[in-house]
Amino acid sequence: MQHRAEARPESGSLTPAPATTPTPVWAAADGNVAEPPGSLQEYYCELCMEKSQEIKPFILHILQEVDEEIGKGLEGITVNIAGNSRLMMVERITGEDFWILCRILKNNPYINGLDVRYNRISDVGAYYAAKLLQKQHNLIYLNLMFNDIGPEGGEVIAKALHKNTTLKHLRMTGNKIENKGGMFFATMLQINSSLEKLDLGDCDLGMQSVIAFATVLTQNQTIKGLNINRPILYGEQEESTVHLAHMLKENQCLVELHLSKHDIKNSGMKHLCDALYLNRCLRYLDISWLSVVSNNIEGEGLVALSQSVKRNPTFSNIYIWGNKFDEATCVAYSDLIHMGHLKPDNTDVEPFVVDGHVYLAEVSNGLKRHYYWIPGYGEACSQSSNAGFSLVPIGQHL
């Protein structure tokens, strides 16, 4: 049987595929579509042979596991093809591999999550991810972190979410979509009313896009979790922090906010504290750091933040490690913990006393322990190191 060829964009190109698509391999000769093969493995192998594409043993192994889960009658399955798994030998997939995967998954009612972190799908794969979001109406979780996706790939994914009404959680972490891509995602949040959690950490967002997110979230009442860690900001005026503080005064939906490495100083922290006196929904604030480029909050600002926690009973989780602690800061957070305003599992510092002076030590609580990588010993279950599970529960995903 002859099949019409489907044009696929080559690596580095986002040229859309023609409207015509190839006849599926299970199509009958008279044009009527029969049932697809009995397993994802079979379908994958047939598509690879049809398109003269290499069959990847790693993908085949994962699809075998998914077939077994489907055979047990399980639903709501997440397909995990992470390129950094320590539990098995992996081969990172390309945009062309991802095209095959999207073909397999787009009509499958048993699958509602896809994790392809740390692969090489690039902007080519972003194009197919956008198509998947348009056609797969069961998908609630999509993890594309660290996949060499740029501003153009970010644009097509953001635009696909204009009409998507099912996706709840998207991770774009580490893809350098830059300010241009960030603006498309901010625009998307003016239209989309179903996405609940968006992760754009380490995406090289600029001042313009950070301010755009702050502006949009004064109106968007769906997003519960937002990560805009490590933007590329210039200047000393903390303009973006002022806009974020204004947003927190208006927004009554956001539960979890990540502002790591925004170079927030005392003046910016005071704006945030003023907002937190009025905000009654935010429960998790991360103003910590992960590298040399950190927030620059000193004792005065950190003490002001501790006062906000006392006055706002909704505020339950605060992470401050990496800023500049003086003795007043150490005493303030020691008091918060000992008085019960801040639970020890809900912060990344722990007080201790030496020669009558209070100090703060770092503890590994928060979201960061398994933020960038998959634990080598299996699934993580510690709530203190993965607080987002309970704060913004979207299925099993963080």
Side-chain angles (χ1 to χ4, degrees), residues 205-218:
L205 302 177
M207 177 73 77
Q208 183 186 19
S209 56
V210 172
I211 292 175
F213 279 111
T215 303
V216 168
L217 289 179
T218 60

Side-chain angles (χ1 to χ4, degrees), residues 34-52:
E35 288 295 317
S39 73
L40 297 177
Q41 301 171 78
E42 294 173 14
Y43 189 11
Y44 172 66
C45 292
E46 288 196 20
L47 280 176
C48 286
M49 288 187 288
E50 179 189 359
K51 300 303 175 185
S52 301

Side-chain angles (χ1 to χ4, degrees), residues 46-85:
E46 288 196 20
L47 280 176
C48 286
M49 288 187 288
E50 179 189 359
K51 300 303 175 185
S52 301
Q53 191 157 311
E54 179 187 358
I55 295 174
K56 300 289 181 67
F58 174 51
I59 296 178
L60 201 61
H61 173 74
I62 297 298
L63 294 179
Q64 179 183 356
E65 293 182 341
V66 175
D67 281 333
E68 291 172 358
E69 291 181 344
I70 293 174
K72 295 175 183 176
L74 299 179
E75 297 181 354
I77 298 168
T78 294
V79 179
N80 187 339
I81 309 184
N84 68 333
S85 174

Side-chain angles (χ1 to χ4, degrees), residues 244-252 254-255 257 259 268-287 301-302 304-318 333:
L244 287 165
H246 174 71
M247 177 272 292
L248 289 174
K249 292 180 181 179
E250 303 290 331
N251 183 285
Q252 296 303 315
L254 197 65
V255 175
L257 180 62
L259 302 177
M269 194 66 248
K270 289 178 180 178
H271 284 288
L272 289 175
C273 289
D274 289 342
L276 292 175
Y277 289 141
L278 302 175
N279 185 287
R280 285 297 180 270
C281 58
L282 193 72
R283 295 179 58 194
Y284 177 110
L285 178 65
D286 180 0
I287 54 173
L302 293 169
L305 181 59
S306 73
Q307 296 300 317
S308 299
V309 176
K310 286 183 180 179
R311 298 184 188 184
N312 188 333
T314 309
F315 206 45
S316 62
N317 296 61
I318 181 169
Y333 284 87

Side-chain angles (χ1 to χ4, degrees), residues 290-307:
L290 293 174
S291 71
V292 176
V293 183
S294 67
N295 286 313
N296 200 21
I297 306 167
E298 298 178 347
E300 184 181 358
L302 293 169
V303 171
L305 181 59
S306 73
Q307 296 300 317

